[in-house]
Amino acid sequence: MNTTQRAVLIRAYGGAAAAELAGIHKPEPGQGQVLVRVQAAGVNGIDWKVREGMVRDAFPLPLPIVLGAELAGVVEAVGPGVSRFRAGDRVMGTVGGLGAYADFVLVSAAILARTPEGLDHVQAAAMPVAAVAAWKSLHHAGPVRAGQRILIHGAAGGLGGYAVQYAKRAGAEVYATAATADLDYVRSLGADHVIDYQSQRFEDLVRDIDLVLDYVGGEVLDRSWQVLARDGAIVGTSSPDILARTPANRRGLWFINQPDPELLETLAAEVAAGTLQSRVSEVVGFLDIPGAIERNRTVPRAGKVVADFAR
Ligand SMILES: NC(=O)c1ccc[n+]([C@@H]2O[C@H](COP(=O)([O-])OP(=O)(O)OC[C@H]3O[C@@H](n4cnc5c(N)ncnc54)[C@H](OP(=O)(O)O)[C@@H]3O)[C@@H](O)[C@H]2O)c1
């Protein structure tokens, strides 16, 4: 029996060359675990942030470590105590950390979702992080009410594309920042007001915002306090130091995503039914994953990049 498999891992923190293709041992499922034969995996900013060691203080990791946060595939085998899945089931989800860029990956059955009929593996692999994180971050500061004014930074990105749609459905008035080339896309998702971050300053154009979803961070976060309504809040996914950057008497919240397979199944069924848009902007082969991780850092792009393991 062949017990080695392909993987993309880092042995040390570093630049583009630190992510390498390697052969690793194929694991066996333990108690409560599912062994997934991966068909596709989504590329996320966390891959290059981990690769460069940017999050090593917050999340100390044992090296070497296989990268990749989300996957879609087929159940190869289940461990003891798993009754919800069986070999052959189509599944999708986050892996509860990292490790999705390998042909066979162990995932806790508790965080795995079923892939609905009508959603292929590439579409499914684009959703677990972004679709769920966008939903949860939108509601992180409290229930969203009809008529609220919500500003979404990075609205054309993986999280932003979903968040615009969720916020519109909740009855909010949506302001969205995006690059010139992405303004039509963001408008097509339902944004009421689009702001070109490359030629306009959002703080000159909006005010009295009830909720800012900051999917960009840094100076965009720092500039956002001035557009908030008095009781407004900023929820940030990109600047872990948002609390330290929150002025006195203002409300800034750091968001950390958690797996939610039930929510993911609901959202995936909507994408399969065509009632929720999910944009895969590029599909790469397995061998191009290290390059795709680096391009996530350097190349502007709307929507998600997904690795198709069959390529
Ligand atoms: N805390 C958590 O649990 C969690 C979970 C998921 C994601 N995240 C983080 O959340 C962030 C968003 O993730 P994502 O997957 O949506 O990333 P993404 O797909 O790269 O999207 C980011 C978007 O922001 C846009 N952007 C860049 N600079 C901007 C600016 N000054 N103003 C407005 N928009 C700007 C980018 O446009 P261009 O293409 O023009 O550059 C891109 O469309 C990342 O930092 C990611 O690491 C955190």
Side-chain angles (χ1 to χ4, degrees):
M1 191 174 71
N2 184 3
T3 57
T4 60
Q5 55 160 337
R6 299 177 301 173
V8 175
L9 51 74
I10 56 166
R11 298 179 200 279
Y13 296 116
E20 60 176 277
L21 301 162
I24 63 166
H25 188 66
K26 179 181 167 187
E28 297 282 336
Q31 180 76 27
Q33 290 182 320
V34 174
L35 182 65
V36 180
R37 178 189 286 267
V38 182
Q39 306 287 330
V43 177
N44 287 286
I46 193 67
D47 293 324
W48 66 261
K49 290 177 186 176
V50 168
R51 189 199 69 197
E52 301 213 332
M54 283 173 65
V55 294
R56 70 175 122 181
D57 294 335
F59 305 105
L61 298 166
L63 299 181
I65 190 165
V66 177
L67 300 176
E70 60 189 342
L71 54 72
V74 176
V75 172
E76 177 80 359
V78 301
V82 176
S83 54
R84 208 157 64 86
F85 297 103
R86 60 182 180 192
D89 286 350
R90 283 162 26 92
V91 291
M92 60 193 288
T94 47
V95 296
L98 293 169
Y101 297 143
D103 287 312
F104 295 92
V105 173
L106 291 176
V107 185
S108 164
I111 63 169
L112 211 49
R114 286 180 187 285
T115 306
E117 289 290 322
L119 198 68
D120 66 32
H121 293 302
V122 166
Q123 290 173 302
M127 293 192 67
V129 171
V132 170
W135 178 274
K136 290 184 170 247
S137 57
L138 173 66
H139 298 284
H140 192 57
V144 175
R145 294 184 309 279
Q148 274 189 326
R149 292 152 64 86
I150 298 183
L151 170 62
I152 301 173
H153 289 308
L159 272 64
Y162 294 109
V164 169
Q165 297 174 77
Y166 302 152
K168 270 313 285 175
R169 281 184 191 182
E173 183 170 4
V174 176
Y175 296 76
T177 62
T180 317
D182 296 329
L183 296 180
D184 285 343
Y185 165 61
V186 171
R187 226 180 255 118
S188 78
L189 298 176
D192 299 289
H193 313 274
V194 295
I195 299 161
D196 181 346
Y197 82 80
Q198 293 170 317
S199 66
Q200 297 175 300
R201 289 177 65 80
F202 64 85
E203 59 269 51
D204 296 338
L205 302 169
V206 303
R207 68 170 98 108
D208 291 332
I209 294 293
D210 298 298
L211 175 65
V212 175
L213 292 178
D214 174 28
Y215 299 144
V216 177
E219 55 105 24
V220 169
L221 167 63
D222 296 333
R223 287 162 49 206
S224 293
W225 303 107
Q226 59 194 291
V227 307
L228 264 193
R230 222 158 68 92
D231 299 329
I234 298 183
V235 172
T237 65
S238 291
S239 290
D241 58 350
I242 181 169
L243 295 187
R245 297 165 87 140
T246 302
N249 302 320
R250 305 315 309 253
R251 192 161 173 234
L253 301 170
W254 171 235
F255 171 83
I256 293 204
N257 198 29
Q258 297 291 338
D260 188 335
E262 216 170 298
L263 175 61
L264 178 57
E265 282 181 9
T266 303
L267 298 171
E270 289 198 40
V271 172
T275 54
L276 178 67
Q277 286 190 55
S278 175
R279 182 167 180 181
V280 175
S281 50
E282 186 185 358
V283 181
V284 302
F286 188 91
L287 300 182
D288 194 25
I289 291 174
I293 292 171
E294 176 61 1
R295 290 196 297 280
N296 182 278
R297 188 178 74 82
T298 57
V299 180
R301 177 192 319 274
K304 291 277 301 194
V305 176
V306 174
D308 180 350
F309 283 29
R311 285 199 183 188

